[in-house]
């Protein structure tokens, strides 16, 4: 069942999104070679709690951290580790969520550490743009698959692999709500988009094949072929007109 948010719920989610956008901005400015992924997580949790919010991910289904920190070939759900240090040339995906007065926002960004290769920067840029290509269709009266198909077409136009095993989702008073939001085309058109729906749209794009595997920790997802992966996500609101991106600073 896909929920339609009330004006009160939407305003709470707007504030959650504004806070999460600031969290990501502060984390981006702090990233540097020599930081451990655990350093990133601890700083992220401190920032989230400093805004009076609760980290959405901490202990969610047993996940042990507040920030998913995924480096290079790690697609998503990387577990922060005090022995895993960021180094010049790495790319790192930060996935974070906050709970503000009972409502969630969820967003992810991929950043380069120091000087990165042109190929890595292109992957980051295309992944980000694939999100914006998708939300061109995030309008009342369109169908969910319109978003999914646009993301896939854009990313695959560059020869990249669009991850099939993980998808976006509805969001609100729960971190994961209906519907699932694939980044690849489906046979069915999917639900009709209506004003008041809130979705977390999150392209996960690999430089090589779309195929992924889960590591022994049961959380970290990596590319099967060892290629780089990037992740870009925002929480959006379907309106009567253009979609509103809740987790991006204007």
């Amino acid at each position: 069942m896909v929920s339609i948010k009330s004006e009160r719920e939407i305003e709470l989610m707007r504030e959650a999104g504004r806070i999460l956008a600031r969290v990501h901005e502060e984390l981006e400015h702090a990233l540097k070679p020599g930081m451990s992924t655990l350093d990133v997580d601890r700083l992220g949790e401190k920032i989230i709690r400093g805004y009076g919010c609760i980290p959405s991910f901490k202990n969610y289904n047993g996940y042990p951290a507040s920030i998913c920190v995924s480096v290079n070939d790690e697609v998503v759900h990387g577990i922060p580790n005090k022995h895993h240090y960021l180094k010049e040339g790495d790319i790192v995906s930060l996935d974070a969520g906050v709970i503000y007065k009972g409502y969630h926002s969820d967003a992810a960004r991929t950043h380069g550490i120091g000087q990165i290769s042109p190929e890595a920067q292109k992957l980051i840029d295309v992944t980000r743009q694939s999100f914006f290509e998708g939300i061109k269709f995030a309008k009342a009266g369109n169908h969910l698959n319109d978003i999914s198909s646009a993301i896939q077409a854009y990313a695959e136009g560059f020869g990249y692999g669009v991850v099939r095993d993980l998808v976006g989702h509805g969001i609100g008073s729960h971190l994961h709500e209906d519907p699932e939001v694939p980044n690849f085309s489906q046979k069915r058109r999917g639900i009709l988009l209506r004003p008041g729906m809130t979705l977390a749209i999150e392209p996960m794009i690999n430089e090589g094949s779309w195929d992924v595997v889960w590591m022994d920790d049961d959380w970290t997802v990596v590319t099967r072929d060892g290629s780089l992966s990037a992740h870009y996500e925002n929480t959006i609101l379907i309106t009567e007109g253009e979609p509103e991106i809740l987790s991006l600073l204007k």
Side-chain angles (χ1 to χ4, degrees):
M1 178 92 179
V2 180
S3 66
I4 303 297
K5 305 303 188 294
S6 68
E7 282 302 321
R8 173 185 168 276
E9 290 176 308
I10 289 168
E11 193 48 51
L12 290 172
M13 291 188 69
R14 282 195 181 106
E15 185 58 23
R18 283 191 287 263
I19 290 168
L20 182 54
R22 295 188 193 108
V23 170
H24 271 293
E25 192 174 66
E26 292 185 40
L27 282 174
E28 179 183 6
H29 291 154
L31 289 174
K32 61 184 179 182
M35 287 183 81
S36 74
T37 56
L38 184 60
D39 292 334
V40 177
D41 175 62
R42 286 175 172 168
L43 176 60
E45 181 170 354
K46 181 180 179 182
I47 296 169
I48 290 169
R49 294 193 186 278
Y51 281 112
C53 293
I54 298 168
S56 296
F57 300 167
K58 190 73 175 276
N59 299 319
Y60 181 79
N61 290 339
Y63 186 75
S66 298
I67 312 292
C68 297
V69 187
S70 306
V71 183
N72 293 333
D73 66 335
E74 296 173 348
V75 181
V76 287
H77 304 159
I79 296 177
N81 188 313
K82 66 180 180 181
H83 300 300
H84 191 171
Y85 295 97
L86 301 177
K87 63 182 186 299
E88 184 91 9
D90 283 344
I91 65 170
V92 57
S93 298
L94 306 180
D95 192 358
V98 304
I99 308 170
Y100 174 77
K101 296 186 178 179
Y103 283 83
H104 293 260
S105 189
D106 190 2
R109 311 279 187 263
T110 301
H111 306 290
I113 303 300
Q115 189 72 30
I116 64 173
S117 71
E119 293 80 11
Q121 187 62 57
K122 181 180 177 182
L123 175 66
I124 292 171
D125 294 343
V126 169
T127 301
R128 182 181 187 276
Q129 187 59 33
S130 70
F131 165 86
F132 287 99
E133 295 298 318
I135 68 164
K136 289 177 181 178
F137 297 89
K139 299 178 181 180
N142 285 346
H143 289 261
L144 191 66
N145 195 49
D146 297 327
I147 300 173
S148 304
S149 297
I151 291 171
Q152 180 181 19
Y154 185 78
E156 289 186 348
F158 293 86
Y160 295 145
V162 180
V163 173
R164 304 292 202 276
D165 295 63
L166 301 140
V167 296
H169 51 92
I171 186 169
S173 59
H174 296 85
L175 177 59
H176 293 106
E177 299 182 352
D178 289 335
E180 290 190 342
V181 186
N183 298 304
F184 47 93
S185 186
Q186 306 288 290
K187 291 182 179 178
R188 296 183 177 181
R189 299 177 73 189
I191 63 165
L192 184 70
L193 301 176
R194 296 170 54 198
M197 290 180 176
T198 46
L199 307 172
I201 298 175
E202 50 177 321
M204 290 157 274
I205 310 298
N206 299 342
E207 193 172 31
S209 166
W210 59 263
D211 203 9
V212 299
V213 294
W214 268 254
M215 302 299 285
D216 289 343
D217 61 21
D218 292 329
W219 280 106
T220 309
V221 180
V222 301
T223 59
R224 185 178 291 277
D225 60 10
S227 62
L228 295 178
S229 186
H231 186 194
Y232 188 82
E233 175 185 21
N234 281 302
T235 297
I236 73 160
L237 168 69
I238 305 298
T239 73
E240 295 285 358
E242 295 297 319
E244 182 179 345
I245 303 175
L246 302 180
S247 54
L248 195 62
L249 295 174
K250 303 298 188 286

